[in-house]
Amino acid sequence: GATDAHCHVFGPGARFPYAPNRRYTPEDAPKEMLRALHDHLGVARAVIVQASCHGTDNAAMMDCLASDTKRYRGVAIVDDTFSDADLDTLHAGGVRGARFNFVRHLGGSPDMAVFNRVIDRIKGRGWHVVLHVDAPDIVALSDMIRKLPLTFVIDHMGLVPGKAGVDQPPLKALLEL
């Protein structure tokens, strides 16, 4: 009955090409590998989060969702080029959130005007937003995050380094959020 709350599928690249402007190229880890791992571990449900190496082409993630509509839900990477019909298609396929990368090694903060337009369009669908942030930026982004008009998830626990201890400002800000 366990749920994997955050996992990715990668490719296969021959079928689902990686984004040309990606910051990394993973080894292929398609839906069949993920299913085998989840079956081995006894994971009953999973949230498939669109990986930045695929950019806004959510095809690999959507293919995984379609392979088991009861087991999987998804989080897409979208921008304001997506039409309402595109967002409706994602929703019908099991997507329930949008992910934005703010991390430096993946390109840094998104265009905040685009971010705000997307937030306005997804909030009415009942989606949440996933924020992939670097620990040092949690404090600076806290006011914006608090004002979001929808549920948010801080991706990868804000990348807060455990070795920095419990008194570090990023951890305190994360806990306050």
Side-chain angles (χ1 to χ4, degrees):
T3 299
D4 184 341
H6 181 119
C7 54
H8 303 290
V9 290
F10 300 110
R15 182 171 175 207
F16 302 109
Y18 297 107
N21 63 344
R22 66 190 176 277
R23 299 294 176 114
Y24 66 99
T25 303
E27 291 186 31
D28 285 348
K31 67 183 179 196
E32 296 82 7
M33 290 177 70
L34 182 63
R35 176 177 286 282
L37 175 64
H38 284 159
D39 288 346
H40 175 74
L41 296 173
V43 173
R45 296 170 306 276
V47 178
I48 315 301
V49 178
Q50 174 73 352
S52 62
C53 61
H54 279 292
T56 57
D57 181 351
N58 295 283
M61 185 261 307
M62 293 299 290
D63 181 62
C64 184
L65 299 184
S67 73
D68 193 335
T69 59
K70 292 184 180 181
R71 188 176 200 177
Y72 298 131
R73 291 292 178 265
V75 173
I77 294 180
V78 299
D79 58 25
D80 62 354
T81 66
F82 282 66
S83 68
D84 285 338
D86 294 332
L87 296 176
D88 291 343
T89 298
L90 291 172
H91 189 87
V95 169
R96 297 298 182 266
R99 182 183 200 211
F100 285 90
N101 287 311
F102 287 78
V103 294
R104 284 181 210 96
H105 75 273
L106 295 175
S109 293
D111 178 324
M112 291 307 289
V114 171
F115 174 84
N116 289 322
R117 284 192 296 270
V118 170
I119 293 298
D120 284 343
R121 294 179 65 217
I122 68 171
K123 68 182 178 185
R125 289 178 163 76
W127 289 15
H128 65 282
V129 64
V130 174
L131 306 170
H132 192 191
V133 299
D134 287 313
D137 298 325
I138 296 171
V139 174
L141 293 170
S142 288
D143 286 340
M144 179 275 292
I145 294 170
R146 273 190 205 88
K147 293 175 184 171
L148 288 170
L150 69 173
T151 302
F152 63 87
V153 173
I154 304 294
D155 212 343
H156 298 287
M157 298 177 289
L159 302 172
V160 174
K163 67 182 178 183
V166 297
D167 292 323
Q168 62 180 297
L171 180 61
K172 287 182 176 183
L174 182 64
L175 293 173
E176 287 175 16
L177 288 168

